[in-house]
Every structure is written in C-alpha cells, then in structure tokens.
Amino acid sequence: MNPLPKLRQWLDERFEWDDLIAPLREKAVPLHRLSYWYFLGGITLFLFVIQVLTGILLLLYYRPGANEAFESVQYIMTQVQFGWLIRSVHSWSANLMIFTAFAHMFSVLFLKAYRKPRELTWVSGVILLFLVMGFGFSGYLLPWNTLAFFATKVGTEITGQVPIVGKPMMIFLRGGEEVTGATLTRFFGFHVAVLPGLATLLILVHVLLVQRLGISVPPKLEVEWTANPSVKREMKFFPNFLLRELMAWYVALGVLGALAAIFPWNLGVKADPFVPAPAGIKPEWYFLFMFQTLKLIPPKVWFIDGEILGVLAFGVIGLLWLLLPFFESDHPSRTKRWITGVAIFALAYVAGMTVYGHFAK
Amino acid sequence: MAILPSSTRSRAGVRWLLLAAFLGLSASFGYGQAKNSCLDCHSTLPDPFGVTQDKFSQDIHAQKGLTCVNCHGGDATSDDADQAMSRKAGWKGKIDRKQIPALCGSCHSDPAYIRGFNPSLRTDQLSQYLTSVHGKRLAGGDTKVAVCTDCHSVHDLRAPSDPRSTVNPVNVATTCSRCHADAAYMSSYKIPTNQFAEYSKSVHHDALAVRGDLSAPTCTTCHGNHGATPPGVASVANVCSTCHVFQSQLFDTSPHKEAFASAGLPGCVTCHSNHGILHPTDEFIGTGDKAVCTQCHTQGDAGYAAAGKIREQLAQLAVAIGNADQILGTAERSGMEVSQPKLDLTQARDALTKARVTIHSFNVDRVGADVKLGVAAAAKDYTAGQQALAERNYRRIGLAISLIAIALALIGLRLYIRQIES
C-alpha cells in the first residue's frame, strides 16, 4: 500500500496543500540557447545550504578565542572523524559559492534580467553578494592563522580609511584598536549569527520574488515572443527543470568532494601578533580586485589621500551598482546599450585586476 | 627731526637693552661653547697635527666636556700660540707613546673621578694593561706594541657600544688585525700573522659579523682586552668553557682530560683548532678522512672503535630524522595536516643536538642514550607520516567511490528525465 496519497490527502485537508503547491505546478522556465545560465542561482543556493550544514557541524568542535581557535581547527582536521572533509568542504564551498554568486550576477546583468519588474530581485541579489563577501571576510579569520590575522588587519585598516565613520567602524569591527582575540569572537558572532540571519531572510525574499515574478527572458526574445506567442518555448519547472538543477547540484557536489579530497584546505601557522607581517600579504581572491586598485592609486590625488579616494570610489560604485536597474529602460525593445558596456568593462576589470593582483608582488 | 616717533624709539631702545642684557648674562654663565683656541689652528693643519672640530666633536671625551688641555696641557683660552703652548701653562705637546697608558690611566684609574661620568665603567684598565704582553713589552722599551690610542683611536674616540667604535665587538678583530695581520710589522716578534684570516673563516666570525650575534667571541673574548695575552695550554679549556659549558663539563669527566694534559695538548684546540674554528660536522668524529680522532687513535685501539661507534650512532639518528622529515614533507605537500608531528620532530632534532654535545664525554653509552631517545621520537613521527599518507590514499579511494556514485545518480536522473519527457 502506497502511503503517499494518504499523506497528501491528510495535508490537503488541513493546509490546502494542493493550492499551496499549485504555483509550482504552473511555474515554467523559458527555453532558449542561454537557458543554462538559469542554473547558477540554484547552484549558489545549493552551496549556501552546504555552507549551513557543514558550518553547523564545525560548530560542534570549533572554539572561538585567540588561544583555542587554531587548536580547535587543527583538532577538527586531524582528530575528528571526517572533520577534515567537513572543514575542507566548508572552505571550498565558500569560495565556489562566491564564484557562482559573481557568475550569477553577471549572467543576470548580461541577460538584462534585472529590468522592470525585477529591480528588487536585483537589489536583494546584490545585497546578498555583499553579505556573502562578508561571510568570506569574517570566516577567513576564524582559524586564527598568520595569513588570516594579517589579512584581517589590512582589511579592517582599509575600513578605517573611510572619512568620519571609518575609525569608529574599524574599532567596532576589531573590538578595539588592534586585531585581537576580541576581533575573533566578534567575527565569529557575525559569521554564525548576524550574517546567516540576514542572508536567510534575504534569500527568502529573493526566491519569493523570483517565484512571484517568474523567470526573465532576454529582451530580444521577449519582444519576439510577445509579437508571436506561438514561438514561445518553455519547460515545466517541476519536475523537468528541477531534475536538471538536481543534476547540476550533483556535479557541484562531485567537484566539491574532489577538491576537498585532493586539495584539503590548508591550516597554515598559528597567528602571532608579535611577529612582523609576512611579505606580500594579500586578501582572499574575491577582494583582490579592490585591494590591487587601492595599491595602484597614487598616495595623493590632487589634495585627497589616494586610499581614502579609492575606498570612497568603491563605496559610490557599490551604491550605483545596487541601483543599476533604475537606470534601465522599461521597454525591452529600448534597453540601454551603455549598461551592457559598463557590464563588460566591470567584468573585464574585476577579472583583470584579480589576475594582476594574484601575480603582482 | 626725529626719524621715529618717540613712542617707537623708546620701544626700540628697550629691545636693544634686553638683547645686551641677554648677551652679557649668556657670557657670564658660560652659555655656548667654551673657548678652545687649539682647534682654531689645528683644524687647518695637515696630519699628524690636524684635528678638526668635526672630528673632535665625535670624541666621547669632548662630548663629556673635556678639551685638548685635559691631555695636552696648555692654555686653550689664549689666542696667542706661544702663550697657549707655553711650558709655563703646562703644555705637554705630543704625548710620548710610552706615556700614553699612564696619561689615560691618570683619569681612568681614578674611581672617584670616573664615577662622575660613568659609575659602571671599570677603572682597572691600566693595571690590566701592565700585565699584558703589550704592557710588559712597552715597559721593556718596545714602542711598537699597542697602547691605548692604537686600539681606541685618538681625537675621535668613541664609546665601545658605538658601532663605529674601533673597539665595538664587530670591529675588534679588524682593529687587532691592523698589527697582527701585518707580516712586515710583526716580523720581529716571530709569531704567526694568519689569525685574522683564520678567524674570518670561523664559525665565531660568521656568528658575529654575518649573523650579528654580539655575544659571539672575537679576539678579546678569549685573549682579554686590556690584559691581552695568549691563553696558555692549561687555560684554553677554561676560555672555551665560558660559553661552551656542557662540552667543557663532559670533557672534564672524559678520559681525554688526563690524556691530553699528560701529552701537553691544549684541550679543545687539539680537535677544533684555535682561530679558524669551523662549524663542527658529524664527520669530525669517527674514523673517516675528515675525522679528528684519527690524529691520535689508530685501528685496533679502543678509542678508534669508540669513535667509529659514536659516528654510527649519530648517523643512525640523522637518517631517522631525514626519513621522518621526508615522509612528513610528502604528506604535507599532499595537503595533509601534519603540523603537530612536524613540530614533534624537533624533539628528535634536539636529541641529535644533545648527542653532539655528549660526544665530548667520549662515552659510547652516554651518546647512545641520547641517540636512542631521538630515534624513538623520529620513529613516532615517521609513523605519523605513514598514517597521513595512508589516510590520503583512503580519502582518494573514498573520493573515487563517491564520484562513481554521483556519476551513476547523474545517469539515472538523465534517463528519468528522458523517460518523463518522452
């Protein structure tokens, strides 16, 4: 006897289950030669779930504190059954998630999926990207190794360059004038409580908006399909697209497992605040384009401090980026080409500066 | 007609009055430099009479307020050369080399006077100097030997703590070598002149000059400074033991102590040489080409056998450490977390260092005990390395199985999609 129909009936009698999942049955995914890009959001979500699960497992053994953090991660890596796998998957998944989040953002940008009525989907997505980078920045310090310690020192110092609010912000982030155990506990709090709470809320908003507004179609195709609905091609979200998404998740899982087993995430050397910073200290790759830019700006530009100018410029660019959909035309036939130009330039700049920053001394 | 209004004139007058009062008070309180007419002339004279203001201002004595007259006598306040350098004013002229130690000692042997400048400065330099080879020969009429100014410089004499001082630890060997490495100058003394060249190749020079370790020995550390004299055969070991305490204690309890003494051999120097002490390697011990043991021991005697055995023990530990290091390195390059066993390997390295010190007991069993501890520690780390590599292989097998499972799931999904879409 199959219990599923009975369970479904039981749910339907109480929660009107069929009505609840009706939109899922209705939901369709546009089918065209660029449909593959639609998988990126789902893969990012999958990696976020991996992060949450592995993060909870790491919490069972991780101890925040300058005297314990490094040793506890070392214990996880060497003594805890499959601890190495959990920690390596967490670290690799974090990096892959940031990569897929960036890729998802640029795919949305090039497919012009941010247009009316999806402005808020874009806004919530960009804020999510900032949060994900915050996850990376706060999580990087948690093993309390030398590289993390000095990268955090440099990173928070850059925050301190912001006029007026910079110094109080830096002291707030560090929990004092210097990077100490207080910074570590603070970052731990951001990493496991503040950021996950905010991110979960925004992911819900983001997914609900996607659900409510449906999936966007590139403007040219939208014009074509509106003029001639008979050429419109779609795929049912459930189960056809979801099964394909599941395949993508399996592939992501395989890549994650391979990276974790062949290149377990390095632990490094325990941080010692009294030793000089290692030569050529650099942040994680996703901050490199900003770091390299700040390095290239002259110490003084006219009468303004170069670093302050750089930080302010990134702040303004970040804000404009967030508001990008509001500069776009409402009509699919009259989309603004300069936004595509900006997108190409931004992608080339971020990629180029990241590679340059990686090889620069 | 007055050029300035009366109120302005009165203000200008007050200003002039104040300036004159200031200058007068400054002069009466000795404000500014004391007059030193010696430098007026000597700063323009060629060597050996020339002393510039710039040079003399570098001198520790000038910085403490002393002037030319404190050593040379005369009247530095007079602009008349005849008056300034008159015998009546106590002018001594150029100090005779033989008189230099006594002249310096007239202040530096007076604790009450020196206390006024530097209470921690010793005041036994002259008495020590008189016991030195330099001092004795000077007393015997040999003016070629070093006097105070030869080592400390003159007119720009700096404190020994100043890195530019000729007697700063880093510069002492060079200062001594100015005479002792000069074969022509030293020819009449019939002593070697290769000490500096030998020392420059030594582990001590490397520590001091290259690594900047100011505790490393230079000439004066072993020979003394003011009381400089070659350490005798009997006291060489005492000189070395001031730093190499454990080696010295072990040597004193070893059979070599008595054997060396009866053969008239100077302890440490017999195996390690004196000025050109190279960094010791394990090849120093044993029966090989570079071993120093074979200088005295020959095949068949007990010492020869013991030397060979000790060499074997050291090699055994060195190999064990090398193997553990290699396997841990391989594991680390494979991404395995082996920082703890790598740290633990320092125990084996420490045991090797200790065994190298224990060699000075020349006791096979004592060296063996240290080696045994080291080999056990290295074996534990080697096992940790093996386990790390086994774990790496286990992970890779696990990965392969997982990837197969994922591939099967992907194929299954693909087939299912095809089925529902057909």
Side-chain angles (χ1 to χ4, degrees):
Chain A
M1 194 184 79
N2 190 353
L4 280 178
K6 275 202 164 185
L7 179 67
R8 195 167 156 174
Q9 190 190 346
W10 190 89
L11 286 171
D12 201 33
E13 283 167 4
R14 283 157 185 82
F15 309 108
E16 295 178 335
W17 177 253
D18 281 349
D19 288 351
L20 209 65
I21 62 163
L24 270 183
R25 292 179 188 283
E26 304 290 317
K27 190 174 163 68
V29 177
L31 212 55
H32 50 85
R33 65 186 179 89
L34 298 171
S35 291
Y36 283 103
W37 292 105
Y38 296 144
F39 289 114
L40 278 172
I43 294 173
T44 310
L45 181 65
F46 170 71
L47 292 170
F48 180 77
V49 173
I50 295 268
Q51 284 305 95
V52 173
L53 295 177
T54 51
I56 290 169
L57 289 174
L58 288 174
L59 272 180
L60 299 179
Y61 290 95
Y62 178 75
R63 292 194 297 272
N67 296 325
E68 298 179 303
F70 182 85
E71 285 76 8
S72 68
V73 179
Q74 195 173 42
Y75 184 79
I76 290 168
M77 292 290 282
T78 55
Q79 306 296 318
V80 178
Q81 194 81 313
F82 291 110
W84 64 272
L85 183 66
I86 301 301
R87 197 236 162 183
S88 293
V89 165
H90 191 76
S91 302
W92 274 115
S93 173
N95 282 272
L96 287 183
M97 182 174 71
I98 293 170
F99 179 78
T100 55
F102 264 104
H104 180 47
M105 181 186 73
F106 277 107
S107 74
V108 166
L109 197 57
F110 285 116
L111 294 175
K112 292 198 174 279
Y114 53 83
R115 286 172 299 121
K116 186 186 173 183
R118 298 182 179 81
E119 295 96 330
L120 289 181
T121 320
W122 167 268
V123 171
S124 61
V126 171
I127 296 174
L128 269 171
L129 180 76
F130 294 158
L131 285 182
V132 161
M133 289 169 85
F135 268 116
F137 187 59
S138 57
Y140 191 57
L141 179 68
L142 300 191
W144 198 247
N145 59 31
T146 306
L147 281 180
F149 177 84
F150 287 106
T152 306
K153 204 168 173 172
V154 173
T156 46
E157 247 162 34
I158 291 171
T159 315
Q161 296 294 322
V162 179
I164 306 165
V165 293
K167 190 78 194 294
M169 258 170 68
M170 188 189 84
I171 290 173
F172 170 71
L173 283 174
R174 289 181 172 182
E177 289 279 353
E178 294 295 328
V179 175
T180 60
T183 320
L184 179 63
T185 41
R186 214 157 261 234
F187 273 41
F188 176 69
F190 297 144
H191 193 76
V192 303
V194 180
L195 291 173
L198 289 173
T200 309
L201 198 71
L202 266 173
I203 287 171
L204 279 175
V205 170
H206 194 73
V207 171
L208 277 175
L209 283 170
V210 173
Q211 180 59 38
R212 179 74 186 149
L213 302 170
I215 293 174
S216 160
V217 181
K220 206 174 158 187
L221 216 56
E222 191 181 333
V223 173
E224 203 180 310
W225 286 1
T226 312
N228 184 7
S230 64
V231 294
K232 188 175 176 181
R233 289 177 63 219
E234 282 181 340
M235 174 194 281
K236 283 178 79 177
F237 177 78
F238 186 82
N240 305 51
F241 186 80
L242 193 63
L243 285 170
R244 284 176 170 83
E245 182 80 57
L246 197 61
M247 285 178 74
W249 292 359
Y250 264 116
V251 172
L253 191 66
V255 171
L256 262 184
L259 287 170
I262 300 169
F263 308 107
W265 203 264
N266 188 16
L267 178 59
V269 179
K270 187 177 178 176
D272 182 354
F274 300 108
V275 301
I281 189 100
K282 285 175 191 172
E284 282 284 82
W285 63 269
Y286 39 89
F287 290 116
L288 260 184
F289 73 96
M290 288 191 273
F291 180 74
Q292 195 59 31
T293 307
L294 291 178
K295 270 175 77 179
L296 291 177
I297 297 175
K300 279 271 175 209
V301 181
W302 195 28
F303 63 91
I304 308 169
D305 185 283
E307 203 160 307
I308 294 175
L309 186 74
V311 172
L312 285 176
F314 275 117
V316 172
I317 291 168
L319 188 67
L320 291 174
W321 197 254
L322 193 69
L323 303 174
L324 194 74
F326 303 100
F327 298 104
E328 184 58 277
S329 163
D330 292 347
H331 301 283
S333 56
R334 293 201 294 271
T335 56
K336 297 201 170 138
R337 295 179 75 176
W338 67 265
I339 292 186
T340 310
V342 166
I344 293 169
F345 175 77
L347 179 61
Y349 186 84
V350 170
M353 274 294 174
T354 304
V355 173
Y356 178 39
H358 180 76
F359 291 106
K361 286 184 179 172
Chain B
M1 191 179 77
I3 297 171
L4 294 171
S6 59
S7 62
T8 313
R9 261 183 294 156
S10 66
R11 279 207 298 276
V14 169
R15 276 204 294 272
W16 280 111
L17 208 65
L18 284 172
L19 182 62
F22 172 73
L23 290 173
L25 283 168
S26 299
S28 62
F29 286 117
Y31 197 84
Q33 289 279 318
K35 184 169 173 59
N36 188 351
S37 63
C38 311
L39 290 174
D40 293 344
C41 297
H42 281 272
S43 61
T44 61
L45 291 175
D47 280 337
F49 302 109
V51 181
T52 62
Q53 175 67 45
D54 186 42
K55 181 179 180 180
F56 190 55
S57 67
Q58 305 287 319
D59 195 293
I60 183 80
H61 298 107
Q63 289 164 7
K64 297 287 181 188
L66 303 180
T67 62
C68 311
V69 296
N70 290 95
C71 295
H72 294 281
D75 179 6
T77 60
S78 173
D79 288 327
D80 178 358
D82 292 335
Q83 168 59 29
M85 295 189 287
S86 71
R87 297 287 173 192
K88 200 175 155 192
W91 184 67
K92 297 174 199 164
K94 180 174 164 55
I95 310 297
D96 183 63
R97 277 182 71 77
K98 275 198 222 166
Q99 304 303 322
I100 288 175
L103 177 67
C104 297
S106 64
C107 292
H108 282 274
S109 299
D110 182 352
Y113 181 74
I114 289 296
R115 207 177 297 134
F117 297 96
N118 181 358
S120 64
L121 191 65
R122 292 173 64 155
T123 50
D124 62 348
Q125 298 94 334
L126 179 60
S127 60
Q128 284 218 18
Y129 177 77
L130 295 175
T131 68
S132 73
V133 171
H134 295 141
K136 283 177 184 168
R137 292 194 78 96
L138 185 74
D142 181 0
T143 54
K144 278 175 73 182
V145 294
V147 295
C148 315
T149 50
D150 292 312
C151 301
H152 288 275
S153 177
V154 64
H155 300 134
D156 60 351
L157 195 157
R158 293 178 170 92
S161 57
D162 186 330
R164 295 167 299 173
S165 165
T166 49
V167 291
N168 182 273
V170 175
N171 302 324
V172 162
T174 310
T175 300
C176 298
S177 76
R178 290 208 303 256
C179 297
H180 283 275
D182 186 338
Y185 191 79
M186 298 300 291
S187 59
S188 58
Y189 298 107
K190 310 268 186 295
I191 58 171
T193 50
N194 65 343
Q195 301 97 327
F196 183 66
E198 288 288 307
Y199 174 75
S200 299
K201 294 184 290 190
S202 76
V203 65
H204 292 144
H205 175 268
D206 184 59
L208 181 66
V210 180
R211 286 187 275 132
D213 179 358
L214 295 182
S215 68
T218 180
C219 313
T220 52
T221 318
C222 302
H223 293 278
N225 42 24
H226 301 103
T229 188
V233 168
S235 59
V236 163
N238 297 337
V239 170
C240 303
S241 72
T242 53
C243 297
H244 300 282
V245 181
F246 293 119
Q247 288 89 335
S248 167
Q249 285 173 353
L250 289 163
F251 181 79
D252 285 348
T253 60
S254 79
H256 280 119
K257 168 82 173 172
E258 208 179 304
F260 277 27
S262 59
L265 294 171
C268 318
V269 170
T270 309
C271 300
H272 291 280
S273 91
N274 48 9
H275 301 106
I277 298 170
L278 298 177
H279 193 284
T281 65
D282 291 347
E283 290 171 327
F284 269 36
I285 196 135
T287 54
D289 295 344
K290 293 178 184 170
V292 291
C293 311
T294 51
Q295 290 172 11
C296 301
H297 294 287
T298 50
Q299 200 160 13
D301 72 34
Y304 189 90
K309 182 73 185 157
I310 291 173
R311 176 78 183 89
E312 269 175 35
Q313 289 172 325
L314 292 181
Q316 184 195 1
L317 180 51
V319 167
I321 291 171
N323 288 343
D325 203 32
Q326 191 184 21
I327 197 164
L328 288 172
T330 309
E332 191 175 41
R333 283 191 294 280
S334 304
M336 303 304 295
E337 169 51 36
V338 286
S339 58
Q340 193 56 48
K342 281 197 90 176
L343 185 68
D344 293 344
L345 196 56
T346 53
Q347 287 178 7
R349 290 201 176 93
D350 289 347
L352 182 59
T353 305
K354 188 162 180 282
R356 283 168 177 160
V357 173
T358 313
I359 286 172
H360 296 90
S361 70
F362 306 101
N363 182 319
V364 175
D365 293 338
R366 289 183 73 172
V367 176
D370 291 334
V371 166
K372 199 175 163 188
L373 282 174
V375 168
K380 203 174 138 199
D381 298 323
Y382 185 81
T383 308
Q386 279 181 317
Q387 284 169 347
L389 286 184
E391 167 74 11
R392 179 199 65 178
N393 296 340
Y394 168 72
R395 289 177 187 185
R396 290 185 178 174
I397 291 167
L399 171 69
I401 294 168
S402 307
L403 289 180
I404 290 168
I406 287 172
L408 288 174
L410 284 172
I411 293 167
L413 276 170
R414 187 73 202 120
L415 291 174
Y416 181 64
I417 291 169
R418 191 175 287 177
Q419 189 196 344
I420 58 170
E421 287 180 354
S422 64

